Amino acid sequence: MSDSVSAGGECEPRHGGAETAAELQRARQDLQRLAIMEPLTRLLHRQAFDEQVQQELADASAHGRQCTLVVIGLDGFRLLNQVYGQRVGDRILQAVAARLRNFVREPNLLGRRGGDEFVALLRDIADADAAMGATREMLAAIQRLERVGNLEVQVDASAGVVLFPADGGDIDSLMEAGDGALARAKREGGRRCARFSADLGRAKDLRIRLEQRLRRACEARDFRLLYQPQVSLPDRRLIGAEALVRWNDAELGDISPAEFIPIAEASGLIDGLSDWVLREVCRQRQMWRQVGLDLPPVAINLSGVQLRSPGCVRSVLETIDEFQISPEEIEIEITETWVFDSSSLLAQENLQRLKMAGVRSVLDDFGVGASSLVQLRDLPIHRLKIDRSFTVECMRNARTLTIVKAVIDMAHNLGLTVTAEGIETADQESWMHHLGCDSVQGFYIARPMPAEDFLRRYLAERTQPTSSRSIVDGGPAVDSVQ
Ligand code: C2E
Ligand code: MG
Ligand code: MG
């Protein structure tokens, strides 16, 4: 690293004439520093960082030293910029740079490569464990609530960690490996760091390919929609269905929505995809309506990315209006993490607007995130779906059972109904009834099915008395919980 530049590359521009030789010298140095700085954060810009890393790698190589390259990205920064505007985004980047500067000191190098990506070269890190430890500390230093004017914005970050010379011999291969590791950390949920591994290269290729194929599928509207029935307890009356999108790619085969929805979210394809899902549900309902059928509501999964966008509610309402669907014929499912994230004020406002317009919202996958029932109190939702992992765990663990019981009771006290997801056995259905759950959804009741089969099921129910379908009341044997 050059002696004249600190790790943060920070300096103050000087004004006025340089009267003495010393001042002239100082002014020259300042100008040199400014030339290698990125103006917003005053960290080394991409080219300067790369040049200094190259020197550092050559030196490390000559002396048999190891270094660690850390690539840091802010979680959800694109969204944060969209929602709060670029000025707030800029302030966050400056705050993150300041915290990193405190942490990454000379002779280490620190730079910003553009967007929300920061890079650090840590010298003399002896092994992977030490590198991961240092990176975790760096992330802990960045992750906190940032106040910008009247706003409080939660800053979260992820990082990719690569070692020189083990993971790459030059700046380009190290950066590529670092980007891959960062992408993995984000894919795994963010707020974490991931180490580069050889299989990442293959994963990256697949991900790029998936995105290309998904783009084509979105253009061609090449999806299908299945409907998974939801039934009340204990009488198993059909109370609705969840619409679940399916994608079969000619080259890649069936791809799970759990895999392609995050790609659609990250690549901006989600708007078109969700629009297709909503239109498909509305079109289907319109057809049912035209033949005089009044099926129970269909729930649509709305991506959190959309729920946080300003035009979201207008677009939903315009579509249902276009198909002359009334608001109570659809429901919006939204996962807990999106609603409770600290920068999700807009999401909550949008839920409120949907409620005012008569569209009911359901909190999906409850229990997976870190939200509490207290936070549910003010949320404009009418139903809670307990995540499948809880349904399964309930059967194995008496403590989880107690928690689920408390969740159901408190939800009821808040005026919410509760659906248990992922019911796969008669015992699970029985237990959920016993615990006070209002309804269930899962393979044991019915797998996701095409619209015609869902209609058939609805018509069959209309001709069959509900009592013959109900589960045995009185609760399952207690020893089914180990
Ligand atoms: P989700 O909204 O929680 O949907 C329920 C998922 O659980 C579905 O998976 C469903 O097929 C599966 N499932 C239902 N019953 C059972 C069961 O008894 N056992 C097991 N093991 N699984 C069961 P799927 O269709 O693969 O969807 C996965 C996730 O992808 C969904 O989770 C949802 O978050 C997302 N997704 C699906 N369709 C859409 C969509 O149209 N738009 C958006 N934004 N997300 C969607
Ligand atoms: Mg759902
Ligand atoms: Mg769910």
Side-chain angles (χ1 to χ4, degrees):
M1 163 180 195
S2 150
D3 285 337
S4 60
V5 183
S6 73
E10 190 177 18
C11 75
E12 290 299 326
R14 289 164 63 85
H15 304 286
E19 281 153 20
T20 65
E23 280 190 353
L24 196 64
Q25 172 71 0
R26 194 80 200 270
R28 273 206 198 102
Q29 283 177 353
D30 283 355
L31 278 173
Q32 276 171 0
R33 286 177 198 168
L34 280 174
I36 57 173
M37 247 183 236
E38 181 279 307
L40 181 72
T41 58
R42 296 199 194 169
L43 299 182
L44 293 175
H45 59 56
R46 174 190 284 259
Q47 194 190 348
F49 180 84
D50 286 5
E51 279 170 13
Q52 295 194 20
V53 168
Q54 263 155 6
Q55 286 171 20
E56 182 57 38
L57 295 183
D59 190 56
S61 192
H63 295 93
R65 283 192 290 110
Q66 302 198 47
C67 316
T68 297
L69 182 84
V70 182
V71 184
I72 298 167
L74 303 187
D75 296 339
F77 184 73
R78 205 176 64 144
L79 203 64
L80 190 142
N81 243 343
Q82 274 171 5
V83 173
Y84 295 118
Q86 206 172 339
R87 273 236 302 259
V88 172
D90 285 353
R91 290 283 302 280
I92 300 288
L93 291 173
Q94 286 170 330
V96 169
R99 288 180 213 155
L100 282 173
R101 206 181 277 125
N102 280 335
F103 193 87
V104 183
R105 296 184 171 273
E106 280 188 59
N108 301 306
L109 298 174
L110 183 60
R112 177 176 172 231
R113 284 180 69 92
D116 61 317
E117 197 171 284
F118 297 88
V119 265
L121 187 86
L122 310 177
R123 288 167 44 127
D124 298 328
I125 296 267
D127 58 43
D129 286 346
M132 294 296 275
T135 307
R136 277 192 201 102
E137 282 177 39
M138 219 187 293
L139 290 184
I142 318 177
Q143 284 171 175
R144 63 165 89 152
L145 216 54
E146 191 62 47
R147 185 173 278 281
V148 183
N150 295 330
L151 281 174
E152 279 199 326
V153 182
Q154 174 64 38
V155 179
D156 289 320
S158 303
V161 178
V162 270
L163 301 189
F164 169 83
D167 302 331
D170 56 44
I171 177 74
D172 289 338
S173 51
L174 285 174
M175 275 311 304
E176 190 179 335
D179 283 339
L182 171 62
R184 169 188 269 183
K186 291 198 174 206
R187 245 193 338 271
E188 288 172 356
R191 289 178 66 89
R192 69 193 66 207
C193 52
R195 164 94 202 274
F196 169 80
S197 67
D199 63 345
L200 269 177
R202 287 193 294 279
K204 189 180 163 203
D205 291 345
L206 180 64
R207 151 83 216 229
I208 291 170
R209 188 136 173 260
L210 266 176
E211 188 179 322
Q212 285 166 349
R213 301 295 303 175
L214 186 60
R215 197 169 290 280
R216 290 178 61 160
C218 284
E219 280 161 15
R221 305 268 186 252
D222 192 12
F223 301 104
R224 273 187 325 132
L225 209 55
L226 297 184
Y227 295 78
Q228 187 175 32
Q230 299 168 339
V231 299
S232 60
L233 289 176
D235 56 2
R236 281 212 183 171
R237 204 170 30 84
L238 196 63
I239 58 155
E242 176 173 11
L244 295 161
V245 68
R246 293 291 176 263
W247 174 34
N248 177 279
D249 180 74
E251 289 176 16
L252 302 168
D254 279 329
I255 298 147
S256 152
E259 192 169 356
F260 71 79
I261 294 287
I263 296 177
E265 287 175 343
S267 57
L269 293 170
I270 192 71
D271 287 333
L273 177 59
S274 297
D275 185 57
W276 179 84
V277 171
L278 179 62
R279 284 179 167 275
E280 185 59 19
V281 167
C282 289
R283 191 190 58 78
Q284 188 63 64
R285 291 206 69 97
Q286 197 182 40
M287 277 166 56
W288 287 332
R289 208 62 108 54
Q290 280 163 357
V291 290
L293 294 168
D294 186 20
L295 274 83
V298 171
I300 290 156
N301 290 284
L302 199 69
S303 155
V305 173
Q306 287 175 290
L307 192 70
R308 289 190 195 187
S309 70
C312 151
V313 175
R314 200 190 56 229
S315 143
V316 170
L317 297 181
E318 277 175 5
T319 306
I320 61 173
D321 203 43
E322 183 186 327
F323 287 87
Q324 293 164 325
I325 299 300
S326 56
E328 63 274 12
E329 287 183 72
I330 60 159
E331 287 179 351
I332 298 295
E333 287 197 11
I334 178 85
T335 48
E336 139 187 54
T337 37
W338 286 103
V339 183
F340 290 125
D341 190 288
S342 53
S343 53
S344 60
L345 204 64
L346 192 63
Q348 297 189 18
E349 282 171 10
N350 278 341
L351 282 180
Q352 191 65 46
R353 285 192 201 116
L354 284 170
K355 184 181 176 177
M356 305 274 280
V359 179
R360 290 182 299 187
S361 302
V362 179
L363 194 61
D364 203 358
D365 305 338
F366 187 78
V368 173
S371 56
S372 71
L373 279 164
V374 177
Q375 290 172 291
L376 288 183
R377 198 186 45 201
D378 307 316
L379 211 59
I381 54 165
H382 88 118
R383 189 146 61 102
L384 200 72
K385 285 179 83 173
I386 298 180
D387 189 64
R388 174 171 173 267
S389 55
F390 267 82
T391 310
V392 173
E393 189 61 18
C394 228
M395 305 290 298
R396 300 201 196 111
N397 182 321
R399 265 188 70 194
T400 311
L401 191 99
T402 314
I403 293 170
V404 172
K405 171 84 182 128
V407 166
I408 295 170
D409 289 347
M410 282 183 72
H412 284 160
N413 287 337
L414 293 172
L416 308 173
T417 57
V418 182
T419 303
E421 293 189 283
I423 298 291
E424 290 183 352
T425 65
D427 260 0
Q428 287 174 348
E429 181 184 6
S430 259
W431 265 107
M432 285 304 156
H433 167 52
H434 188 58
L435 293 175
C437 235
D438 305 282
S439 50
V440 281
Q441 174 182 346
F443 294 167
Y444 182 65
I445 316 299
R447 287 192 173 251
M449 55 182 75
E452 316 79 79
D453 293 350
F454 178 57
L455 175 62
R456 236 175 258 135
R457 185 175 173 123
Y458 165 78
L459 293 174
E461 181 174 310
R462 287 213 312 193
T463 54
Q464 188 188 353
T466 52
S467 57
S468 63
R469 294 188 306 269
S470 66
I471 59 169
V472 182
D473 207 351
V478 175
D479 59 7
S480 32
V481 175
Q482 286 132 32

